[in-house]
Amino acid sequence: MIRSIKIKLLTASLHTVRKVTGIDLGLSNFAIESNGRKTANPRFVKRAEKNLKRKQRQLSRKTKGSANRAKARLLVAKCHEKVANARADFQHKLSRTLVDENQAVIVETLKSANMMKNRKLAKHIADVSWHNFVVKLEYKLKEQGKHLVKLDQWYASSKTCHCCGHKMEEMPLSVRKWDCPSCGTTDIDRDLNAALNIRDKGILELKAAGQSSLLMEAV
Ligand SMILES: [Zn+2]
């Protein structure tokens, strides 16, 4: 009897996690979900990106106005297309999975909003990639009458302890794990903590928007 209740509770909590998810979009992992699942950029995308960089270097060495430069430019354009296709394919699959598994998905808008300000190429590429991913996620959710919550870019998801809400002054990117001085939680995983905060903040926004029924269904 007790055992069956326990199983029911466990099923209910797993159910909740699956229905509303918070996602932290990162550099080392493309996406970290509040249920702990981390999705890396797949190898075929990385390979295509590496190839593109090589072709770009080759192009920069060619003499301006030469036939070889024109050829090299064409190769770069082809590589660009391959990278774009590989990335789009990956993003379509991941967004499809997330939409199938959830009623609502919560993301931060920080990365795409900062897109134009960033001058570093690697970061710029990542920003564009996150933005395109969120666009795919949004229309797929809409098609199924599901919800996307975009959090304000100033929300400090990385600096706030998901257990007690304590906000750290500083949280440099190099810190991957930290201890909360307020509630004593140790070994807080930077990315997972952010994803959990994103989910919780998104749930509050869904409630504020009168979507409580959606959440009742989820619990
Ligand atoms: Zn804490």
Side-chain angles (χ1 to χ4, degrees), residues 160-167 178-185 188 193:
T160 308
C161 169
H162 77 271
C163 298
C164 73
H166 177 78
K167 199 167 145 191
W178 53 285
D179 300 337
C180 176
S182 179
C183 70
T185 306
I188 298 173
N193 178 66

Side-chain angles (χ1 to χ4, degrees), residues 92-143:
H92 273 302
K93 281 180 187 145
L94 182 60
S95 55
R96 171 58 56 214
T97 303
L98 288 163
V99 172
D100 286 346
E101 288 176 358
N102 295 285
Q103 283 299 320
V105 179
I106 300 133
V107 292
E108 272 179 313
T109 54
L110 170 77
K111 282 107 187 180
S112 37
N114 275 349
M115 191 156 71
M116 303 318 290
K117 291 182 208 151
N118 211 299
R119 290 191 186 140
K120 271 192 185 165
L121 185 65
K123 185 68 173 48
H124 178 80
I125 291 169
D127 287 341
V128 174
S129 182
W130 287 322
H131 175 76
N132 292 340
F133 174 69
V134 171
V135 168
K136 291 183 184 68
L137 200 54
E138 189 162 27
Y139 80 72
K140 285 191 176 77
L141 284 163
K142 227 180 221 168
E143 273 172 5

Side-chain angles (χ1 to χ4, degrees), residues 59 61-73:
L59 170 64
R61 285 193 220 108
K62 306 286 185 227
T63 320
K64 277 190 183 154
S66 69
N68 276 342
R69 191 182 170 87
K71 258 188 236 165
R73 197 181 295 126

Side-chain angles (χ1 to χ4, degrees), residues 10 12 23 26 36 42 90 93 96 103 118 122 126 168 194-195 211:
L10 184 66
I23 302 174
F90 160 66
K93 281 180 187 145
R96 171 58 56 214
Q103 283 299 320
N118 211 299
M168 302 288 277
Q211 293 292 344

Side-chain angles (χ1 to χ4, degrees), residues 1-12:
M1 180 68 176
I2 288 172
R3 204 176 154 185
S4 84
I5 290 171
K6 263 190 190 162
I7 289 170
K8 259 186 202 161
L9 283 172
L10 184 66
T11 319

